[in-house]
Amino acid sequence: MSDEGTDNFVGGALLLLLIFGLVTAAQGGVTTPPPTTTPATPPPVTTTTGPPSTTVPSTNIPGGVLYMCSGRIVSTDSAPLGSGTLTLQVYYSPDNGGRNCAVATRTSTAGLPGQMYTTLRMEGYDGRRWPGFAYHRSSAYSPRSGGVYLDDTDGQCIRARVAFVPTSGGSETIVNSGRIGCDSLSEREEGSGPSGRRR
């Protein structure tokens, strides 16, 4: 190839490179595809569930149960429960027209989960509403129920009851108080007793 041919070839190659450079610059430079990224795998969704609703304490008393009963104990009844005891106590206080309050406790039953369903009712009332009927359902592992109470019980007979229901099923353990506060009612009817109810 002559020198003139070589010069033409080199000139043409340089011209092509110049054109290619101008076109590339006009398009914003050489584009390289973005790096391929793999989206992160989201962590597995876990759902935390609490205990069944039956383990939640509840009551029908407006404002809730009493932390402790006041007054004096007028009734104590108990029954064996596992290796321990289920006990029901009823208190009387002259406040609020006569207030009766019941509380249930269980002992030595840490390995026996279940709920205590404590009720207090005025004798003759067969409904489920406060103030004629009060209940408290404890949480599953509670050793003590809240104090369920009724006001204006002077001149009324009342009954208290607690049922322990094992969480795993099985038979209930029940403690009843019997009739409370009825002795002075009988005395008044016979005309031989004081006007107030003896507790």
Side-chain angles (χ1 to χ4, degrees):
M1 185 181 269
S2 66
D3 288 337
E4 185 179 336
T6 302
D7 290 342
N8 287 341
F9 175 77
V10 172
L14 289 175
L15 182 61
L16 285 175
L17 285 175
L18 179 65
I19 293 171
F20 177 76
L22 290 174
V23 169
T24 302
Q27 292 178 349
V30 178
T31 59
T32 48
T36 305
T37 58
T38 305
T41 305
V45 177
T46 57
T47 304
T48 303
T49 57
S53 61
T54 56
T55 66
V56 177
S58 63
T59 184
N60 69 335
I61 301 173
V65 295
L66 300 176
Y67 178 73
M68 61 176 28
C69 295
S70 61
R72 60 189 177 92
I73 297 174
V74 294
S75 174
T76 300
D77 298 278
S78 60
L81 177 63
S83 61
T85 304
L86 179 65
T87 302
L88 175 66
Q89 291 185 308
V90 181
Y91 293 71
Y92 172 76
S93 168
D95 299 332
N96 303 299
R99 170 174 284 183
N100 281 105
C101 179
V103 65
T105 55
R106 59 189 184 112
T107 59
S108 302
T109 55
L112 183 62
Q115 294 178 274
M116 291 178 286
Y117 187 82
T118 309
T119 61
L120 185 65
R121 79 167 61 242
M122 291 188 183
E123 176 122 315
Y125 179 70
D126 58 1
R128 293 286 187 272
R129 298 182 64 183
W130 194 84
F133 175 81
Y135 77 82
H136 176 255
R137 185 179 64 207
S138 72
S139 58
Y141 290 89
S142 177
R144 183 181 183 278
S145 75
V148 295
Y149 69 94
L150 298 176
D151 288 335
D152 297 316
T153 59
D154 284 343
Q156 303 283 339
C157 290
I158 61 156
R159 289 182 181 268
R161 179 181 191 267
V162 61
F164 176 80
V165 183
T167 301
S168 59
S171 59
E172 298 179 350
T173 300
I174 298 173
V175 177
N176 288 299
S177 69
R179 300 170 77 212
I180 299 173
C182 302
D183 54 349
S184 62
L185 290 177
S186 299
E187 290 172 356
R188 282 204 308 276
E189 290 168 0
E190 295 168 4
S192 61
S195 60
R197 185 163 59 150
R198 187 171 70 240
R199 293 279 176 164

